[in-house]
């Protein structure tokens, strides 16, 4: 069985994300699931899942991923809207309809 380490930001508040439901099923199947917050003293594991609530994952958290042979979400280090969306209005666009305002600094 595998040891799965779920990496969260040190100030992240526990949340009811779908990942928690997966973790329950993995544990029931015999895997060891560890939730680890922050970058200090990462536990060893067979697989890590990057699960930080950050728009841009900072260098210390990216470095943390090197402790693990396999990482899920390891290449997803920037989810800023400008990176992913083509539906961005510039100041000179004459759009008159509704818009959703989403900044790059929140997740």
């Amino acid at each position: 069985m595998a040891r799965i380490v779920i990496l969260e930001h040190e100030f992240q508040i526990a949340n009811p994300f779908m990942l928690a439901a997966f973790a329950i099923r993995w544990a029931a199947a015999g895997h060891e699931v560890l939730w680890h917050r922050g970058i200090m003293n990462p536990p060893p594991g067979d697989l890590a899942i990057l699960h930080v609530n950050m728009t841009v994952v900072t260098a210390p958290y990216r470095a943390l991923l090197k402790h693990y042979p396999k990482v899920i979400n390891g290449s997803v280090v920037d989810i800023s809207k400008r990176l992913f969306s083509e539906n961005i209005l510039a100041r000179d666009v004459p759009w008159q309809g509704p818009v959703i305002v989403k900044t790059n600094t929140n997740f």
Side-chain angles (χ1 to χ4, degrees):
M1 290 293 139
R3 176 184 257 195
I4 303 167
V5 181
I6 300 170
L7 303 170
E8 295 184 311
H9 189 274
E10 65 181 314
F11 299 123
Q12 194 161 319
I13 297 171
N15 49 54
F17 284 118
M18 188 180 298
L19 186 56
F22 289 146
I24 291 168
R25 292 194 179 258
W26 296 329
H31 300 288
E32 182 180 6
V33 180
L34 301 174
W35 295 79
H36 180 74
R37 288 199 176 146
I39 58 173
M40 303 302 293
N41 304 313
D46 302 302
L47 170 70
I49 300 174
L50 180 62
H51 186 61
V52 296
N53 283 343
M54 302 172 79
T55 299
V56 178
V57 178
T58 58
Y61 283 91
R62 291 192 312 266
L64 182 63
L65 304 178
K66 295 177 184 173
H67 290 272
Y68 301 96
K70 296 179 183 176
V71 178
I72 294 176
N73 289 341
S75 61
V76 184
V77 295
D78 185 345
I79 60 167
S80 57
K81 301 307 173 219
R82 290 183 185 349
L83 184 66
F84 282 96
S85 181
E86 295 178 7
N87 300 320
I88 297 175
L89 296 178
R91 290 184 188 270
D92 60 342
V93 175
W95 178 258
Q96 297 297 315
V99 298
I100 296 173
V101 177
K102 181 74 171 162
T103 69
N104 274 338
T105 57
N106 71 352
F107 44 82

